[in-house]
Amino acid sequence: MRVLISIIHSGQTEEKPKAEVTIKPAQHVFRGDTATLRCDINGEGVTKTLWHKEGLTSVFSELQEHTFSSVNESDAGKYTCYGSNGSDWSQISDAVTLTVSERPKPKVTIKPAQHVFRGDAVTLRCDINHEGVTSWSYSWYKEGSTSVFSDRQEHTFSPVKKSYAGKYSCKGSETEGSRWSQMSDAVTLRVSDPRAVLSVSPQKWLTEGDPVTLICEVYSFSTGWTFSWFTLTVSADNSHHYNLLSDSSRGAGGNYTVSSAALNHTGVYSCRAEREKPAYKTQYSNTQLLWVTGVSPPVSLIVGSSRTQHFTSVSLSLSCEDQSNSDRWRVRRYTDGGRLEDCSSLHRGSQTGSTCTISSTNTSDTGVYWCESESEAKYHSVNITVHLSGVILESPVHPVTEGDHLILHCLYQHTTSPNLRADFYKDGSLIQNQTTEMSITTVSKSHEGFYYCKHPERGESPKSWISVRVFHSESQICFLNILSSVLTVCPYLLVTVMLIFKCGRMRGKT
């Protein structure tokens, strides 16, 4: 016992000892924790204790140790005590503050991304922001398991396997103490195989001589990919073959450029990517159809219904016709679903000679159809669309020649009178309203564009592109050639005449 002797006059007095408050495990605790207040005098126990809390006038406890089994915010505050070892009481202690805060919630981050490719490296990190705890120990859990698979703040998977995909969460416990955090929200790690994606720039429909670029990309943060390009063909037994382009660059750049497209560039293309570290080769990419149009194809694809838009559950006939009426042509198609198919391989299709018949159309029949020779030369594509319901536009399959008479109808599937009274639009502008047919007596190049019809109750048809072909007779072509030659020579003739005239005037003066 600490004794202070002071001399006052001739007598001696002893100062009372001062009580001391301690809080375990710490003065700063989390809501729900256990906190114990203890009152000591000179480091020794006391037989009697009186506890006070700032703001309260009454004694709330007479125990030397007072425990809050589940602390909440109302328990926070400043506490004092004084005690007795016998008949005499100590001085009141200094106030000690108990702070109660919400239990911290960790945050899980995944770098470089939550979606990674098999073979890459990925790091999980657990962060707990709280000033009251200087050091944390970590526990990592994967959804579906109660066992801890890592005790580090950062855990790295390298290389990543597909089995590592799933939801991950973490929590922390005080390294030198008894406090712990909440469980974090789960964060999902997705693991997939790298996928090559093929696109075309500037467009898929080309004229001879146009430039075009195939672009192969792997959407990921990883680098080091090299690329190859292929054409997709269908053999007589309807099996698919990927043929590596002979001039296919295998460099790091994912572009394959054709500076001047030719007819033999028409086809279905695909690409794939590969890398060395970690070693991986992607599957073949999506496919893209490139179509190069010539001036005068040797064969025409004739559609039996003479329109490009069709309803489901109807019969559709497509024929390849050339001047010799030969049967060496087959109808093939490339669907919106990315399938390259021969007519004879279709579940509802059959090929007789050069004619393909689809017994009952389905929306999956939407795509590009063309005629293909035995040497795999492709000619005269037609874009066919099949619609489940609503209205469709009856428009010509092939380009309209300048000067022709053009008639468009709006058709509805479920009616005895298929021609609807509807509004007709060109490039989004109303051109005729409430009529059963739209008629253009003499077609010109200015009539080229996207057309559709709209019925107030049945709805709006898909858009159809109507192309106008400008035709010149042999005499017109001859006249244009002569006129072009004359215009080319005219400047030289004019200069010659001016020189002769000038020379004549100079001789006259002389």
Side-chain angles (χ1 to χ4, degrees), residues 403-472:
D404 284 354
H405 184 197
L406 174 64
I407 297 177
L408 304 178
H409 293 103
C410 197
L411 306 182
Y412 180 61
Q413 188 175 22
H414 307 293
T415 180
T416 54
S417 178
N419 293 347
L420 293 175
R421 183 173 291 276
D423 298 332
F424 289 84
Y425 293 80
K426 174 183 178 289
D427 296 329
S429 300
L430 179 66
I431 50 177
Q432 288 189 21
N433 64 331
Q434 290 302 299
T435 178
T436 55
E437 66 178 31
M438 194 200 81
S439 176
I440 300 175
T441 306
T442 306
V443 173
S444 66
K445 190 66 176 177
S446 64
H447 291 117
E448 192 171 72
F450 283 101
Y451 289 79
Y452 65 94
C453 64
K454 188 175 183 179
H455 188 270
E457 297 175 1
R458 309 297 184 188
E460 181 179 303
S461 76
K463 296 177 177 62
S464 277
W465 173 261
I466 295 180
S467 179
V468 178
R469 180 175 51 200
V470 179
F471 177 76
H472 295 294

Side-chain angles (χ1 to χ4, degrees), residues 234-236 238 291 299-304 316-322 326-335 339-346 348-358 365 367-374 376-384 397-398:
V234 179
S235 59
N238 292 316
W291 194 272
V299 65
S300 295
L301 179 60
I302 307 302
V303 182
L316 177 62
S317 173
L318 304 101
S319 301
C320 296
E321 297 183 4
D322 60 9
S326 68
D327 291 339
R328 67 188 183 94
W329 303 100
R330 300 188 67 80
V331 177
R332 283 187 171 162
R333 75 180 188 182
Y334 179 76
T335 67
R339 299 188 306 276
L340 178 62
E341 298 172 321
D342 191 285
C343 179
S344 60
S345 68
L346 306 181
R348 292 164 281 103
S350 61
Q351 177 98 25
T352 304
S354 293
T355 300
C356 169
T357 302
I358 300 175
D365 294 317
V368 179
Y369 292 72
W370 65 85
C371 298
E372 188 165 320
S373 67
E374 296 172 352
E376 298 183 353
K378 304 169 182 63
Y379 297 99
H380 210 180
S381 65
V382 173
N383 197 4
I384 299 293
V397 173
H398 304 298

Side-chain angles (χ1 to χ4, degrees), residues 496-510:
T496 304
V497 171
M498 290 179 65
L499 288 173
I500 293 172
F501 178 74
K502 189 172 183 180
C503 289
R505 290 187 64 184
M506 289 177 66
R507 287 180 180 179
K509 290 181 180 179
T510 303

